[in-house]
Amino acid sequence: MAKLLAMILAGGAGTRLEPLTRERAKPTVPFGGRYRIIDFVLSNFANSGVYRMKVLTQYKSDSLNNHLSRTWRMTAFLGHYVEAVPAQMRTGLDWYKGSADAIYQNLNIITDEEPDYIFVFGADHVYRMDVREMLSFHVAKKAACTVAAIPVPIEQGREFGIIDVGPDGQMRQFLEKPKNPPPMPGNPKMCLASMGNYLFSTGVLVQEVVRDAADEASAHDFGKSIISELYKHAPVYVYDFAQNRVAGQEEKERGYWRDVGNIDVYYQSNMDLVEVDPIFNLYNDRWPIYTQPNNLPPAKFVFADEPNHRVGRAMDSLVSEGCIISGSGVKRSVLSPKVRVNSYSEVEDCILFENVTIGRRCRIRRAIIDKNVEIPPGMTIGYDLEEDRRRFHVTSGGVVVIPKGMKVT
């Protein structure tokens, strides 16, 4: 069997998710109630049988380091691990200058592990993927590098890094946000956008990051600096993610991938989960999403028979363990562990992080409330955005965001 290594890039600052990334790394932003964003890529590798994972960290990495050490404990007896690798400045006094430089600064890992193939994946996307299929494609094509890509409507292509592909799947050109994206083979209405996930034959990866490190004019980025040059002198192939099949996955979910890079996309991706028949199904037990187990009691809903409609209820919502819905209503919302919503309050289209308390008689809609926030009784949020902007962060899409630990008055 080939020896495999996954190197997961988790060092970005995540500024477009501010204020959710004000005190944490982007990959550890909560998602879907009880998960962290990084759990999705780690679960993909674990479910695919790739058990050696190095997570390259940098900005505000304490929460990420804690999550990995407390949650992702693999079987060391069999040589399995998920290990955080902080920026070590092994090549000088600089932090990572880009994604390619992050690999270059950690070439010692490759030397120590001696893998045959290396996956270089991002840590901040939500999707399911059996990476064994990408590996089989890579080996069959005798590729130097394989880039995972997803079909997008051609009119949206100017927002992505687009790949021009020949009929056999070999890359012919890499275009960064082109005005006129080339169509994918066989479908003139779609083009192939890079997912930022790569598979390299080891010698090629080492050679290319060393070459790039010597170029002072380089952006030291995989898309702009490595892939855009590699395809000119080596066989680079493109793996169509829409063809990937995952155990237990319904047909409608195939090709589901979300780059939750800004708050409005992040918010909508969470709201997708509370649909009656969601595209992305968290309940697929043949390809589970792993995360930290909690020793918390079950969610509780009270009261039942109050004459003045003081009834705890949640509809079209995800309610995590340890939550108490006390005489209040929750609609189309995602509640992380240990959330309490008190009597006569109404919460609608919201994402509430861990240990949020909503006081009595509050009305809150289209809001993201970060961890350890207590909303005082009687407060209204999400109904008057001009007023909300004076107190909180409001996105261009009209989502109100209350930062972690904020004292709300």
Side-chain angles (χ1 to χ4, degrees):
M1 292 181 63
K3 191 173 181 181
L4 308 174
L5 175 67
M7 299 185 77
I8 298 166
L9 304 173
T15 53
R16 292 187 299 152
L17 275 181
E18 170 74 23
L20 301 181
T21 51
R22 189 170 295 171
E23 296 189 38
R24 61 169 71 87
K26 179 181 175 182
T28 48
V29 172
F31 189 90
R34 62 187 314 272
Y35 306 100
R36 304 296 183 107
I37 294 174
I38 196 173
D39 289 330
F40 292 87
V41 65
L42 296 179
S43 295
N44 285 331
F45 280 112
N47 287 319
S48 300
V50 179
Y51 300 125
R52 293 177 172 87
M53 302 177 234
K54 296 283 189 176
V55 181
L56 310 188
T57 67
Q58 185 163 249
Y59 295 104
K60 301 176 183 177
S61 61
D62 182 59
S63 61
L64 178 53
N65 295 336
N66 290 340
H67 181 69
L68 295 176
S69 64
R70 297 171 186 178
T71 303
W72 286 91
R73 300 177 183 175
M74 306 288 271
T75 307
F77 180 75
L78 298 176
H80 303 168
Y81 57 77
V82 176
E83 293 177 346
V85 182
Q88 302 176 76
M89 299 183 180
R90 298 178 69 93
T91 61
L93 298 179
D94 294 316
W95 280 30
Y96 299 146
K97 301 173 186 176
S99 54
D101 185 57
I103 301 296
Y104 175 71
Q105 290 199 34
N106 290 287
L107 285 177
N108 63 297
I109 293 172
I110 299 173
T111 302
D112 293 343
E113 295 294 328
E114 298 183 322
D116 299 305
Y117 302 102
I118 300 174
F119 294 92
V120 180
F121 274 43
D124 46 15
H125 303 141
V126 176
Y127 63 110
R128 278 191 175 92
M129 181 180 187
D130 189 337
V131 301
R132 292 171 294 193
E133 294 189 10
M134 185 176 178
L135 176 63
S136 296
F137 177 87
H138 178 88
V139 173
K141 294 293 187 181
K142 298 180 180 179
C145 170
T146 297
V147 181
I150 185 168
V152 298
I154 200 161
E155 60 271 15
Q156 297 178 16
R158 62 187 62 188
E159 301 173 15
F160 300 93
I162 299 299
I163 305 167
D164 185 14
V165 180
D168 62 346
Q170 187 165 353
M171 182 183 294
R172 296 192 299 202
Q173 199 173 7
F174 183 85
L175 305 164
E176 188 67 36
K177 299 181 179 180
K179 292 183 178 179
N180 298 300
M184 65 182 290
N187 191 343
K189 296 182 179 180
M190 305 290 283
C191 57
L192 287 170
S194 173
M195 297 166 61
N197 291 344
Y198 312 102
L199 172 57
F200 286 90
S201 298
T202 297
V204 174
L205 177 61
V206 173
Q207 173 184 301
E208 289 303 306
V209 297
V210 170
R211 175 196 60 78
D212 177 72
D215 183 0
E216 294 184 358
S218 172
H220 306 295
D221 175 81
F222 267 101
K224 297 177 183 177
S225 312
I226 301 294
I227 305 303
S228 61
E229 293 297 322
L230 180 60
Y231 79 89
K232 298 175 183 177
H233 58 83
V236 176
Y237 281 82
V238 179
Y239 175 71
D240 185 352
F241 172 65
Q243 304 302 315
N244 192 263
R245 294 184 179 274
V246 166
Q249 187 179 63
E250 296 182 32
E251 185 64 24
K252 65 182 179 181
E253 188 181 318
R254 274 215 298 155
Y256 180 94
W257 176 80
R258 294 291 184 271
D259 178 1
V260 287
N262 65 64
I263 289 182
D264 285 322
V265 175
Y266 168 84
Y267 172 82
Q268 187 55 54
S269 298
N270 273 272
M271 290 297 103
D272 288 346
L273 301 176
V274 302
E275 295 292 334
V276 175
D277 188 17
I279 297 176
F280 190 75
N281 178 20
L282 292 175
Y283 299 89
N284 179 0
D285 57 6
R286 296 182 61 191
W287 198 274
I289 308 300
Y290 300 104
T291 194
Q292 183 174 356
N294 287 315
N295 294 318
L296 294 171
K300 183 178 181 180
F301 299 78
V302 294
F303 300 82
D305 299 312
E306 284 286 315
N308 53 357
H309 305 292
R310 189 184 174 198
V311 177
R313 63 203 185 279
M315 294 159 284
D316 296 338
S317 297
L318 298 178
V319 181
S320 300
E321 59 269 42
C323 290
I324 298 177
I325 312 300
S326 177
S328 53
V330 175
K331 298 178 183 177
R332 294 184 303 276
S333 295
V334 178
L335 274 58
S336 295
K338 297 194 294 184
V339 167
R340 181 170 183 132
V341 185
N342 285 299
S343 295
Y344 310 114
S345 287
E346 295 293 331
V347 173
E348 184 174 348
D349 298 313
C350 288
I351 304 169
L352 307 184
F353 286 10
E354 185 176 343
N355 204 35
V356 165
T357 298
I358 307 297
R360 286 188 167 204
R361 303 185 188 279
C362 290
R363 296 170 64 236
I364 304 174
R365 71 176 180 186
R366 288 183 57 79
I368 302 172
I369 303 180
D370 207 330
K371 186 176 180 180
N372 299 335
V373 171
E374 182 172 347
I375 303 299
M379 181 159 284
T380 298
I381 297 172
Y383 289 84
D384 183 345
L385 294 184
E386 289 304 315
E387 175 62 26
D388 291 329
R389 285 189 180 93
R390 285 192 276 270
R391 298 179 295 170
F392 312 120
H393 177 90
V394 179
T395 71
S396 59
V399 178
V400 182
V401 186
I402 301 179
K404 178 181 177 181
M406 182 178 183
K407 302 299 182 184
V408 180
T409 57

